[in-house]
Amino acid sequence: MLDKKVKDIMTTDVITTTSDVDVVYAFEKLMEYKISSLPVVDGDKLIGIITATDVGHNLILDKYELGTSVEEIMITSVVTISPEDTLENVIKIMKEGTSSSGIINQLPVVEGEKLIGIISDGDIIQELF
């Protein structure tokens, strides 16, 4: 199972946002679709990502002014994966996480800079059972 390719289980109908969208609207989109991250795109090029945890926490603390755009808060150093990578590699990357946020539960799947899918810990769990 761990040698299965990302492309075999990734979600290809990715819910995204653009950098000019208001943070509140982007957060509503995260909540509406019950997803934990929202890739930020320019056309089909991945340019950033926002997470429900970061946005929600900062909204509660009232850190954003009215009209704050996604561009102002998005993470631009996005951890990504290739469609040819194995699930073993995905799990390793998710487990290692990032120094600032710990575990990663969704990874955008890219070919070059083009966003072609997303894989989540939920996708991997469903594959196991």
Side-chain angles (χ1 to χ4, degrees), residues 3-8 10 81-87 89-90 109-111 116:
D3 59 345
K4 191 166 239 183
K5 301 282 187 193
V6 168
K7 66 183 178 184
D8 296 328
M10 70 182 189
I81 197 97
S82 159
E84 296 299 323
D85 272 308
T86 63
L87 293 187
N89 197 37
V90 171
V109 183
V110 296
E111 284 183 330
I116 62 164

mmCIF file of all heavy atoms in Angstrom, residues 3-8 10 81-87 89-90 109-111 116:
data_model
loop_
_atom_site.group_PDB
_atom_site.id
_atom_site.type_symbol
_atom_site.label_atom_id
_atom_site.label_comp_id
_atom_site.label_asym_id
_atom_site.label_seq_id
_atom_site.Cartn_x
_atom_site.Cartn_y
_atom_site.Cartn_z
ATOM 1 N N ASP A 3 3.586 1.817 -1.396
ATOM 2 C CA ASP A 3 4.219 2.111 -2.668
ATOM 3 C C ASP A 3 3.238 2.643 -3.717
ATOM 4 O O ASP A 3 3.613 2.978 -4.831
ATOM 5 C CB ASP A 3 4.968 0.888 -3.211
ATOM 6 C CG ASP A 3 4.062 -0.315 -3.428
ATOM 7 O OD1 ASP A 3 2.932 -0.328 -2.912
ATOM 8 O OD2 ASP A 3 4.512 -1.266 -4.102
ATOM 9 N N LYS A 4 1.974 2.764 -3.325
ATOM 10 C CA LYS A 4 0.955 3.337 -4.222
ATOM 11 C C LYS A 4 1.313 4.797 -4.513
ATOM 12 O O LYS A 4 1.857 5.495 -3.672
ATOM 13 C CB LYS A 4 -0.424 3.256 -3.556
ATOM 14 C CG LYS A 4 -1.561 3.563 -4.500
ATOM 15 C CD LYS A 4 -2.881 3.155 -3.908
ATOM 16 C CE LYS A 4 -3.471 2.156 -4.857
ATOM 17 N NZ LYS A 4 -4.774 1.684 -4.491
ATOM 18 N N LYS A 5 0.999 5.248 -5.705
ATOM 19 C CA LYS A 5 1.329 6.612 -6.141
ATOM 20 C C LYS A 5 0.277 7.624 -5.691
ATOM 21 O O LYS A 5 -0.915 7.310 -5.602
ATOM 22 C CB LYS A 5 1.441 6.665 -7.669
ATOM 23 C CG LYS A 5 2.470 5.745 -8.259
ATOM 24 C CD LYS A 5 3.843 6.298 -8.095
ATOM 25 C CE LYS A 5 4.829 5.414 -8.866
ATOM 26 N NZ LYS A 5 6.184 5.690 -8.538
ATOM 27 N N VAL A 6 0.740 8.832 -5.452
ATOM 28 C CA VAL A 6 -0.135 9.943 -5.077
ATOM 29 C C VAL A 6 -1.252 10.109 -6.104
ATOM 30 O O VAL A 6 -2.424 10.285 -5.748
ATOM 31 C CB VAL A 6 0.681 11.249 -4.935
ATOM 32 C CG1 VAL A 6 -0.226 12.464 -4.845
ATOM 33 C CG2 VAL A 6 1.617 11.163 -3.746
ATOM 34 N N LYS A 7 -0.908 10.035 -7.381
ATOM 35 C CA LYS A 7 -1.885 10.262 -8.451
ATOM 36 C C LYS A 7 -3.049 9.280 -8.398
ATOM 37 O O LYS A 7 -4.122 9.563 -8.919
ATOM 38 C CB LYS A 7 -1.214 10.215 -9.815
ATOM 39 C CG LYS A 7 -0.654 8.863 -10.193
ATOM 40 C CD LYS A 7 0.058 8.902 -11.533
ATOM 41 C CE LYS A 7 0.650 7.547 -11.873
ATOM 42 N NZ LYS A 7 1.412 7.613 -13.108
ATOM 43 N N ASP A 8 -2.849 8.131 -7.742
ATOM 44 C CA ASP A 8 -3.893 7.118 -7.668
ATOM 45 C C ASP A 8 -4.973 7.423 -6.631
ATOM 46 O O ASP A 8 -6.069 6.871 -6.710
ATOM 47 C CB ASP A 8 -3.277 5.746 -7.379
ATOM 48 C CG ASP A 8 -2.365 5.286 -8.503
ATOM 49 O OD1 ASP A 8 -2.636 5.637 -9.680
ATOM 50 O OD2 ASP A 8 -1.373 4.592 -8.206
ATOM 51 N N MET A 10 -5.180 10.915 -5.018
ATOM 52 C CA MET A 10 -5.345 12.358 -4.766
ATOM 53 C C MET A 10 -6.708 12.853 -5.248
ATOM 54 O O MET A 10 -7.340 12.252 -6.103
ATOM 55 C CB MET A 10 -4.239 13.145 -5.465
ATOM 56 C CG MET A 10 -4.344 13.175 -6.973
ATOM 57 S SD MET A 10 -2.953 14.084 -7.696
ATOM 58 C CE MET A 10 -3.494 14.164 -9.403
ATOM 59 N N ILE A 81 3.948 18.031 -3.207
ATOM 60 C CA ILE A 81 4.314 16.660 -3.551
ATOM 61 C C ILE A 81 4.045 16.448 -5.041
ATOM 62 O O ILE A 81 3.216 17.142 -5.622
ATOM 63 C CB ILE A 81 3.538 15.657 -2.664
ATOM 64 C CG1 ILE A 81 4.148 14.267 -2.675
ATOM 65 C CG2 ILE A 81 2.093 15.597 -3.023
ATOM 66 C CD1 ILE A 81 5.040 14.007 -1.515
ATOM 67 N N SER A 82 4.732 15.491 -5.620
ATOM 68 C CA SER A 82 4.547 15.144 -7.029
ATOM 69 C C SER A 82 3.517 14.023 -7.161
ATOM 70 O O SER A 82 3.392 13.189 -6.260
ATOM 71 C CB SER A 82 5.892 14.667 -7.600
ATOM 72 O OG SER A 82 5.714 13.893 -8.756
ATOM 73 N N PRO A 83 2.797 13.976 -8.274
ATOM 74 C CA PRO A 83 1.838 12.887 -8.469
ATOM 75 C C PRO A 83 2.515 11.516 -8.545
ATOM 76 O O PRO A 83 1.880 10.486 -8.310
ATOM 77 C CB PRO A 83 1.141 13.229 -9.783
ATOM 78 C CG PRO A 83 2.061 14.174 -10.485
ATOM 79 C CD PRO A 83 2.807 14.904 -9.414
ATOM 80 N N GLU A 84 3.794 11.487 -8.829
ATOM 81 C CA GLU A 84 4.540 10.227 -8.935
ATOM 82 C C GLU A 84 5.127 9.760 -7.613
ATOM 83 O O GLU A 84 5.647 8.649 -7.516
ATOM 84 C CB GLU A 84 5.658 10.361 -9.980
ATOM 85 C CG GLU A 84 5.151 10.593 -11.388
ATOM 86 C CD GLU A 84 4.277 9.452 -11.905
ATOM 87 O OE1 GLU A 84 4.547 8.278 -11.602
ATOM 88 O OE2 GLU A 84 3.287 9.761 -12.614
ATOM 89 N N ASP A 85 5.056 10.603 -6.577
ATOM 90 C CA ASP A 85 5.552 10.209 -5.261
ATOM 91 C C ASP A 85 4.716 9.078 -4.688
ATOM 92 O O ASP A 85 3.552 8.903 -5.051
ATOM 93 C CB ASP A 85 5.537 11.393 -4.286
ATOM 94 C CG ASP A 85 6.813 12.201 -4.350
ATOM 95 O OD1 ASP A 85 7.899 11.605 -4.243
ATOM 96 O OD2 ASP A 85 6.724 13.430 -4.491
ATOM 97 N N THR A 86 5.292 8.354 -3.756
ATOM 98 C CA THR A 86 4.585 7.251 -3.093
ATOM 99 C C THR A 86 3.889 7.749 -1.839
ATOM 100 O O THR A 86 4.247 8.796 -1.281
ATOM 101 C CB THR A 86 5.559 6.132 -2.693
ATOM 102 O OG1 THR A 86 6.495 6.664 -1.733
ATOM 103 C CG2 THR A 86 6.283 5.565 -3.900
ATOM 104 N N LEU A 87 2.915 6.969 -1.380
ATOM 105 C CA LEU A 87 2.230 7.306 -0.133
ATOM 106 C C LEU A 87 3.206 7.286 1.046
ATOM 107 O O LEU A 87 3.060 8.063 1.981
ATOM 108 C CB LEU A 87 1.072 6.348 0.124
ATOM 109 C CG LEU A 87 -0.092 6.444 -0.864
ATOM 110 C CD1 LEU A 87 -1.255 5.571 -0.398
ATOM 111 C CD2 LEU A 87 -0.546 7.864 -1.066
ATOM 112 N N ASN A 89 6.231 8.351 1.019
ATOM 113 C CA ASN A 89 6.866 9.669 1.032
ATOM 114 C C ASN A 89 5.904 10.743 1.528
ATOM 115 O O ASN A 89 6.298 11.646 2.274
ATOM 116 C CB ASN A 89 7.407 10.019 -0.356
ATOM 117 C CG ASN A 89 8.415 11.141 -0.303
ATOM 118 O OD1 ASN A 89 9.202 11.242 0.623
ATOM 119 N ND2 ASN A 89 8.399 11.981 -1.323
ATOM 120 N N VAL A 90 4.643 10.652 1.143
ATOM 121 C CA VAL A 90 3.632 11.607 1.613
ATOM 122 C C VAL A 90 3.550 11.572 3.136
ATOM 123 O O VAL A 90 3.577 12.608 3.802
ATOM 124 C CB VAL A 90 2.240 11.296 1.013
ATOM 125 C CG1 VAL A 90 1.168 12.155 1.672
ATOM 126 C CG2 VAL A 90 2.231 11.516 -0.484
ATOM 127 N N VAL A 109 -0.622 18.828 -4.776
ATOM 128 C CA VAL A 109 0.093 18.000 -5.737
ATOM 129 C C VAL A 109 0.357 18.869 -6.963
ATOM 130 O O VAL A 109 -0.582 19.435 -7.530
ATOM 131 C CB VAL A 109 -0.722 16.746 -6.122
ATOM 132 C CG1 VAL A 109 0.066 15.866 -7.076
ATOM 133 C CG2 VAL A 109 -1.143 15.966 -4.877
ATOM 134 N N VAL A 110 1.636 18.981 -7.330
ATOM 135 C CA VAL A 110 1.991 19.864 -8.433
ATOM 136 C C VAL A 110 2.865 19.152 -9.463
ATOM 137 O O VAL A 110 3.592 18.218 -9.145
ATOM 138 C CB VAL A 110 2.738 21.131 -7.939
ATOM 139 C CG1 VAL A 110 1.848 21.984 -7.065
ATOM 140 C CG2 VAL A 110 4.012 20.781 -7.209
ATOM 141 N N GLU A 111 2.721 19.613 -10.691
ATOM 142 C CA GLU A 111 3.635 19.266 -11.772
ATOM 143 C C GLU A 111 4.237 20.584 -12.209
ATOM 144 O O GLU A 111 3.518 21.443 -12.740
ATOM 145 C CB GLU A 111 2.904 18.585 -12.925
ATOM 146 C CG GLU A 111 2.538 17.153 -12.638
ATOM 147 C CD GLU A 111 1.870 16.451 -13.818
ATOM 148 O OE1 GLU A 111 1.184 17.130 -14.619
ATOM 149 O OE2 GLU A 111 2.023 15.234 -13.920
ATOM 150 N N ILE A 116 -2.329 20.314 -9.632
ATOM 151 C CA ILE A 116 -3.141 19.300 -10.318
ATOM 152 C C ILE A 116 -3.982 18.468 -9.353
ATOM 153 O O ILE A 116 -4.810 17.673 -9.783
ATOM 154 C CB ILE A 116 -2.277 18.364 -11.190
ATOM 155 C CG1 ILE A 116 -1.285 17.588 -10.336
ATOM 156 C CG2 ILE A 116 -1.589 19.144 -12.292
ATOM 157 C CD1 ILE A 116 -0.695 16.391 -11.052
#
